[in-house]
Amino acid sequence: MSVDLLLSPGFIIIGAAVLLCLPTARWRKIVVGVAPLLALLRLWALPTGSHGTVAVATFNLDLLHVTATGRLFASAFLLAVWLGGMFAAASASRRELISAYVYAGSAISVTLCGDLITLFLFWEAMAVTSAVVIWSARTRAAWSAGMRYLLIHLFGGVILLAGIALWYSTGGSLQLGVLQRPSLGYWLIMAGFLVNTGAPPLSFWIADAYPQASPTGMVFLAAFTTKTAVYVLISYFAGADILIPIGLYMAIYGALYALREDNVRRILAYSIVNQVGFMVAAVGIGGEMAINGATAHAFAHIMYKTVLLMGAGSVMLSTGEQRGSALGGLARRMPWTSACVLIGAAASMGVPLTSSFVTKSLILEAAAEHHLSMVWLTLIICSAAVVFNAGVRFPYLTLFQPQQSEAVEHGHDPGTLSRVAMMLTAAICLLVGLFPGYFYTLLPYPSNYHPYNVAHILEQLQLLLPAALLFFISLPLTTPVGQIQLDTDWLLRRPLLAMWHNGIMRLLALGLRSRDYAVASLVRGYTLLFHYHGPRGILARSWPTGSIALWVALMLVSYVILFTLRSMDMATFIKLYLHG
Amino acid sequence: MDNRVPRKPVIFCAVATALLVLADLLPYHHEGPHLPSLYIGISFIGCGALILLAIIIGWLVGRREDFYER
């Protein structure tokens, strides 16, 4: 393995995870602050293309293959792990930090690998390490949610592996590139990737698992899995029409479910599904502008969701609350957090001068360019509906509504390092929005799109303000307290779980019965054998000579009768018998 | 939980929306045909429909938060 491969940005982060085992907190903070920046420098020093392969059996694994798209995704991941690590350094457990770093390193390696086998290996590493991040919260709910999360992702992994095997067996190439020939393998690979985006019918896992992680753990979780899935969809399925309705469903689903949610971190989790829906739809639209839009929006989303989750984490760490119905009134107690959350919320809605304004509009423009009017209309409505989740609902419930409980009185801004991390993330959200021209040069395809014109700014505000007005008017109707919405996870958690338990019990009972029967048969057989062949058994006795002579005579007579019967035909025998 | 409609944000959003309706009448440059307040209409109708749908979904599949623990 060459030095180039060993110094891959993903491996640097995985190596940093080993250094995080150091017992001193000060050294851990240094590793967290330095390693991602080194990896980022290394990433941008690497030219595009393959940097050597490793032969394993009959396969050549392309462990480090840099593309423009992969580089931007990897940069976003490195920034997320750097800022997330700084935010978490003071309060996260060592186990959480180490698993988060291996998870991030695996995600970065997925974006920088050049074949499906390497992709699968890091894909599975991501599934396991992210489950450990969830379990690091050390609560019963986190344990159960982590198990469900792992189950879903291992299921996705099995589908992906089956797809890769089928694809390869039918002559398909394993190298990085858009798959062209729809076959069973093609569809299975796509399904495996879609599981990680939170596509239907498995959209529930994001809101089920992420909010059960620790306040710092969710910051890491929100950045990697779904965006890695968007990256692989761009790399292998750009322009696949089927992704458009899937993306639209996700965008609507996220907006709807967030609207009835009380838990602020679940609101943000639904917002992830909503925004990833935009990216999946953009991949389905295909073409240079749409792919640019999906890539740019993934970068912007990682940044603004990171700052929002840092805000939610700070609130949770200081108040111990994450129910919107128990928060509010924190804006004055947490001024730095509030300022950063407001920037993140503005970026999520696409307010002019923030990141999403210059990235989401690429996707909308691509839909219009392809004359997909219904797609454009749905995306425009879902774009306005961001107000219902991360845009207005989350900051209002957390910071600006009247104080709802005494827990809020403990609210305060986090420590210096966490605050700096939050402010840097918010600054990136603003920088992307303020200098779109420079940001567009980093995208996979050249772009001459200009987001800042009077019409676009007015249209965006015309979308957002009426939506905000509707949100505030309908607030009493859409704020259920102490309620959850059932999702397709109900099938997993009720009937399938019951079937599993019943099946296991029945199998165990059957196993026990079979074992008892086998043991009883063995004992019976042995007793019988002992009865005849034992020391007192009939076949083990020494018989007198007379008995033996009698037995021999009987055997001879039988032999004579059998011989007579065999040598004459049946008719002669009957005649002899009847007439003497 | 305080379940009243918050007055200040509603007034702010209503005034800002009214100003945007007026702004749409200004002769700024448009690419292609322009329908005044098209986006406001889309936002009101689309988001209104989403809110209605969310309420219906909540009514259909909303359960107590300890549903899975029971």
Side-chain angles (χ1 to χ4, degrees), chain A residues 256 259-260 376 396 404 458-459 461-463 465 467 469-470 474 476 479 482-486 490 493-494, chain B residues 1-3 5-6 9-10 20 24 28 39-40 43-44 47-48 50-51 54 58 61-63 65 67-68 70:
Chain A
L256 283 179
L259 199 53
R260 298 275 302 173
W376 175 84
Y396 178 75
Q404 302 293 322
L458 274 180
E459 284 161 5
L461 293 176
Q462 286 178 348
L463 275 179
L465 282 161
L469 180 61
L470 275 179
S474 65
T479 314
Q483 216 185 61
I484 56 163
Q485 321 299 314
L486 296 188
W490 176 81
R493 296 171 76 169
R494 280 292 166 93
Chain B
M1 187 184 174
D2 188 359
N3 242 354
V5 174
V10 167
L20 284 170
D24 224 8
Y28 61 87
Y39 284 77
I40 292 178
S43 184
F44 265 128
C47 292
L50 280 180
I51 288 173
V61 297
R63 296 288 185 277
E65 63 185 343
F67 177 76
Y68 286 117
R70 277 185 288 142

Side-chain angles (χ1 to χ4, degrees), chain A residues 269-304:
Chain A
Y270 283 124
S271 160
I272 295 174
V273 186
N274 169 259
Q275 292 302 302
V276 172
F278 277 80
M279 298 167 214
V280 172
V283 179
I285 293 168
E288 293 189 355
M289 185 173 264
I291 297 303
N292 271 351
T295 310
H297 195 51
F299 183 95
H301 181 250
I302 290 169
M303 289 301 129
Y304 70 69

